């Protein structure tokens, strides 16, 4: 069942989204060779708690950390760890913030120091595909319009869209209906109506789209060992168009 949000409720989710967006910008400033994802995770938890917010991922179905920190060939749900990041790594930080009972969810990919041209292209295409998907998140369109826009951009640039993880409705719960695939046929699927709030969160692989799970039963990585990137926003469908609740401003 899709839970429709009132304009008031969307305002509340936007508060959570603003905290999350500002936090991503701070993380962008501290990521450099030598820092560990465990340090980033502790920074995130302190940042949120000190603002009266909560890192919703921590304890969610037993997930042990505030952030998912997915490095290089890790697609998603990477565990923060005490290993130093190295020049040339790429890293996606995914977080869900609870504030005043409402949630926002956003992942962002970062390069560590100087990264290769290939890695840069993967980040650029993935981020562009997110915004192309968001453009389709308008009243009257269907979910397939979002997935199709993302898939076309990704595949025409020689990359692939991960199938095993999808976007989702979000509100007071992290995962609500509907599921939001990042691939598919235009004109198909659930019709978008005012008051729906969803995440769009394409995971894009440099090689094949297949994944395998680590022994920790959480972390998904590419089967061919090639790079993977992810960008995610929480979006409200409004009569004035898509409203990005986790917008970082200039960061496009
Ligand atoms: N933030 C993720 C999403 O985009 C969910 C993370 S799973 C968790 O749906 F266990 F880490 F919370
Ligand atoms: Co997320």
């Amino acid at each position: 069942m899709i839970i429709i949000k009132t304009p008031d409720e969307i305002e509340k989710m936007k508060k959570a989204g603003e905290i999350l967006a500002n936090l991503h910008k701070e993380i962008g400033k501290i990521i450099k060779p030598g820092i560990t994802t465990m340090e980033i995770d502790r920074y995130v938890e302190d940042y949120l708690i000190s603002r009266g917010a909560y890192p919703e991922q921590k304890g969610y179905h037993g997930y042990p950390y505030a952030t998912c920190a997915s490095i290089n060939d890790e697609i998603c749900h990477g565990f923060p760890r005490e290993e130093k990041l190295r020049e040339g790594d790429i890293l996606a930080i995914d977080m869900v913030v609870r504030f005043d009972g409402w949630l926002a969810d956003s992942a962002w990919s970062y390069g560590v120091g100087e990264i290769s041209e290939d890695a840069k292209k993967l980040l650029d295409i993935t981020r562009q595909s997110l915004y192309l998907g968001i453009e389709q998140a308008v009243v009257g369109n269907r979910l397939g319009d979002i997935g199709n826009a993302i898939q076309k951009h990704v595949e025409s640039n020689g990359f692939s869209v991960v199938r095993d993880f999808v976007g989702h409705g979000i509100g007071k719960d992290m995962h609500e209906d509907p599921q939001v695939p990042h691939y598919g046929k235009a004109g198909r699927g659930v019709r978008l109506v005012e008051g729906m709030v969803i995440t769009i969160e394409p995971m894009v692989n440099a090689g094949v789209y297949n994944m395998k799970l680590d022994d920790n039963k959480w972390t998904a990585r590419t089967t061919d060992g090639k790079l993977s990137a992810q960008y995610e926003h929480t979006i409200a469908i409004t009569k004035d168009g898509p409203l990005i609740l986790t917008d970082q401003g200039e960061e496009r």
Side-chain angles (χ1 to χ4, degrees):
M1 185 197 55
I2 296 173
I3 303 171
I4 298 301
K5 279 81 186 177
T6 66
D8 254 24
E9 291 171 338
I10 290 172
E11 249 338 282
K12 288 191 175 156
M13 293 183 75
K14 190 153 180 288
K15 291 262 160 31
E18 280 165 6
I19 295 170
L20 177 37
N22 287 328
L23 178 48
H24 265 310
K25 288 203 256 187
E26 293 306 316
I27 292 170
K29 292 180 203 159
I30 63 174
I31 287 184
K32 51 177 176 305
I35 193 172
T36 72
T37 47
M38 196 62 88
E39 288 170 321
I40 296 168
D41 194 75
R42 282 195 288 265
Y43 175 85
V44 163
E45 187 160 351
D46 292 346
Y47 184 101
L48 293 176
I49 299 292
S50 70
R51 282 162 181 79
Y54 186 77
E56 184 73 7
Q57 293 186 144
K58 192 162 179 159
Y60 182 83
H61 290 273
Y63 186 78
Y65 302 102
T67 60
C68 298
S70 306
I71 304 169
N72 294 335
D73 65 326
E74 293 173 352
I75 296 169
C76 64
H77 306 163
F79 279 14
R81 49 184 190 256
E82 303 283 3
E83 205 179 296
K84 289 182 183 355
L85 291 170
R86 288 168 313 189
E87 180 102 22
D89 284 341
I90 62 167
L91 162 71
I93 300 283
D94 188 5
M95 309 181 285
V96 181
V97 170
R98 177 180 292 275
F99 186 70
D100 200 15
W102 291 89
L103 301 177
D105 187 356
S106 176
W108 209 256
S109 285
Y110 302 89
V112 181
E114 270 304 305
I115 62 174
S116 71
E117 284 307 314
D118 286 354
K120 243 178 249 170
K121 183 181 171 197
L122 179 67
L123 297 189
D124 288 344
I125 298 300
T126 308
R127 193 177 56 256
Q128 289 161 13
S129 78
L130 167 61
Y131 286 102
L132 288 168
I134 291 172
E135 261 175 38
Q136 297 297 319
V138 296
V139 173
N141 265 5
R142 291 176 184 271
L143 283 177
D145 296 311
I146 296 175
N148 186 255
I150 293 168
Q151 183 178 18
K152 273 201 321 229
H153 189 60
V154 167
E155 292 180 354
S156 67
N157 281 284
F159 298 141
S160 66
V161 174
V162 170
R163 308 295 203 263
D164 294 271
F165 302 95
V166 295
H168 48 89
I170 181 168
K172 282 177 177 279
D173 287 313
M174 191 192 300
H175 292 135
E176 298 179 357
D177 289 337
Q179 296 198 348
V180 182
H182 306 107
Y183 56 90
K185 290 195 167 66
R188 300 281 181 86
V190 170
R191 197 179 282 282
L192 303 176
V193 300
E194 193 184 339
M196 280 175 64
V197 182
I198 58 171
T199 72
I200 303 177
E201 49 179 303
M203 283 144 271
V204 173
N205 293 354
V208 296
Y209 62 68
N210 311 74
M211 70 94 179
K212 58 182 184 220
L213 271 192
D214 280 3
D215 289 340
N216 68 17
K217 297 278 197 286
W218 279 99
T219 308
R221 64 180 70 238
T222 59
T223 53
D224 58 11
K226 294 191 180 172
L227 296 178
S228 183
Q230 183 184 23
Y231 291 85
E232 171 185 25
H233 274 311
T234 298
I235 315 293
I237 315 292
T238 80
K239 58 180 185 320
D240 304 318
L243 179 62
I244 304 176
L245 303 181
T246 46
D247 194 11
Q248 296 177 32
E250 73 289 352
E251 293 279 337
R252 289 263 157 129

